[in-house]
Amino acid sequence: MKKFPFKSIFAPLAGLSVCIIIIICCGQKPMESILLLFTGTFSSKYYFGLMLNTASMLMISGCGALIALKGGSMNLGGEGQIYAGGLIAGLVLSANWNVPPFIQFLIALILCITAGAFITGFSAVLKELRGTEVLLTSFLLSAAIIPLADGLITSINGKTSQNLIALPYIRDCFKFHRILSPSPLTAVIFPAILICIFTYFIYAKTYIGRKSIIWGKAPLFAKYSGYSSTTNTMTTLCISGALHSLTGFFAVAGTYYTCHQGFYLGMGWNALSTALIASGSPLSLIPSALVLSWIYTSAGRVGLTQGFDFDISGIVQSCILFSIAIPFVSGRKKK
């Protein structure tokens, strides 16, 4: 098993350091705020559950980002894919179909996964046929999906007297029960961990997983060994998109109980940060997600309770992603 890389702690430390600097410079009670930053999340049932719930979302979507990276691609369209999954979940699970609830739930789940796979599958096709970069096409597709989804939500609710920025709430029979009330934590945390473990098993124990690793690390060697580029690209990207859309499905069914504009904000980029910090190890996604979710939740709580006039957690998220992108900070060498 690959050990959790020591160099990966620099990005979270950079985010935490920036948060502390902001508190010292802008906080009304700096020492109290710093203490709250480190201990507040664990002293509150709500924020502790929120942290675990955020971590579960990061594990699933981070796994999607990691699978694309392992296969030699970078999926930058996570936010659009998450939004697409949440939109489908909101539309299907709020409808009053004359079918058993289990069938309706299953249809929503399949449609969400299929939509995410289709979105990234399009990027895979463009890469194989035209040689276009996946990071570019996936980002552009995401940028196109988001306003389309916003417009669809507004159009649907514009015909009624409902809120224009959110779909109707899903039916009660589809809402995941919360296991640490009043926090939004649900049992999704358990399949999220299992997805990480299963992904590790695929890469460590199966022939298909090892071929994908070779494509990611040595594409020329994989090509001359006769491995199919099309199979690798299509498989890894479709699974990546499916997991991102699955994250949107769980966010709607377990956290928000509706699909509203902007619920996806930061989730795709945070998933990519989690995958990069894990340095290619699916098992390392678990501690990476927990650490990042703790930092984001703690920073958000400090900003809310200490009267900051700006989004401190957003600044921390940006700092962490920026730190990962700089090779000498993250310890990642350019190829």
Side-chain angles (χ1 to χ4, degrees):
M1 184 179 69
K2 188 176 180 179
K3 295 181 179 179
F4 188 77
F6 178 77
K7 63 184 180 180
S8 295
I9 69 173
F10 285 105
L13 281 179
L16 196 60
S17 300
V18 167
C19 186
I20 293 174
I21 292 172
I22 292 174
I23 291 173
I24 293 174
C25 295
C26 305
Q28 298 176 353
K29 300 178 180 179
M31 295 309 299
E32 179 181 328
S33 299
I34 292 174
L35 180 63
L36 184 66
L37 176 69
F38 285 96
T39 63
T41 299
F42 302 101
S43 61
S44 167
K45 183 186 292 186
Y46 172 79
Y47 281 100
F48 181 70
L50 178 62
M51 180 194 76
L52 293 179
N53 184 69
T54 302
S56 66
M57 299 295 108
L58 289 179
M59 289 178 202
I60 299 172
S61 55
C63 204
L66 183 141
I67 289 173
L69 290 170
K70 297 281 271 188
S73 303
M74 181 172 286
N75 180 10
L76 296 186
E79 296 203 338
Q81 295 149 29
I82 291 171
Y83 198 5
L87 178 65
I88 293 173
L91 288 171
V92 177
L93 298 183
S94 63
N96 291 310
W97 291 359
N98 191 25
V99 296
F102 173 76
I103 300 298
Q104 187 171 347
F105 181 87
L106 189 61
I107 291 173
L109 183 61
I110 293 173
L111 287 176
C112 286
I113 294 174
T114 303
F118 178 81
I119 294 169
T120 47
F122 187 70
S123 293
V125 170
L126 290 177
K127 178 183 178 181
E128 292 301 312
L129 294 182
R130 306 296 297 176
T132 55
E133 292 290 340
V134 172
L135 62 88
L136 177 62
T137 56
S138 61
F139 178 78
L140 291 177
L141 282 171
S142 175
I145 289 170
I146 290 172
L148 286 175
D150 287 344
L152 181 61
I153 291 175
T154 302
S155 175
I156 291 173
N157 288 341
K159 300 175 182 178
T160 67
S161 59
Q162 299 180 40
N163 192 336
L164 293 179
I165 64 171
L167 292 175
Y169 282 99
I170 64 175
R171 294 166 56 188
D172 291 340
C173 59
F174 297 125
K175 295 178 180 178
F176 292 179
H177 294 292
R178 296 178 175 178
I179 59 178
L180 192 62
S181 185
S183 77
L185 179 65
T186 66
V188 173
I189 184 71
F190 301 113
I193 294 173
L194 290 177
I195 288 173
C196 295
I197 295 173
F198 180 73
T199 303
Y200 163 77
F201 174 81
I202 292 296
Y203 283 112
K205 304 296 182 181
T206 66
Y207 177 66
I208 296 176
R210 289 168 182 166
K211 281 202 303 183
S212 181
I213 292 174
I214 294 173
W215 268 113
K217 291 186 175 181
L220 286 178
F221 178 80
K223 179 180 179 181
Y224 291 123
S225 296
Y227 299 154
S228 172
S229 172
T230 302
T231 300
N232 172 72
T233 304
M234 290 295 296
T235 302
T236 54
L237 285 178
C238 285
I239 294 175
S240 175
L243 287 174
H244 278 94
S245 289
L246 183 63
T247 303
F249 177 88
F250 284 141
V252 168
T255 302
Y256 303 109
Y257 299 147
T258 182
C259 177
H260 62 83
Q261 296 178 8
F263 84 88
Y264 58 87
L265 288 175
M267 295 178 71
W269 296 109
N270 291 340
L272 183 59
S273 297
T274 305
L276 291 173
I277 290 174
S279 294
S281 172
L283 290 184
S284 295
L285 283 172
I286 300 173
S288 296
L290 288 170
V291 170
L292 288 185
S293 62
W294 167 66
I295 293 175
Y296 298 152
T297 303
S298 298
R301 182 181 185 184
V302 168
L304 181 65
T305 58
Q306 300 302 310
F308 284 91
D309 296 329
F310 51 88
D311 183 12
I312 185 174
S313 62
I315 296 175
V316 172
Q317 292 174 20
S318 302
C319 177
I320 290 175
L321 185 60
F322 187 70
S323 299
I324 296 170
I326 301 177
F328 73 85
V329 173
S330 65
R332 299 176 63 87
K333 296 181 180 179
K334 291 184 178 179
K335 294 184 179 180

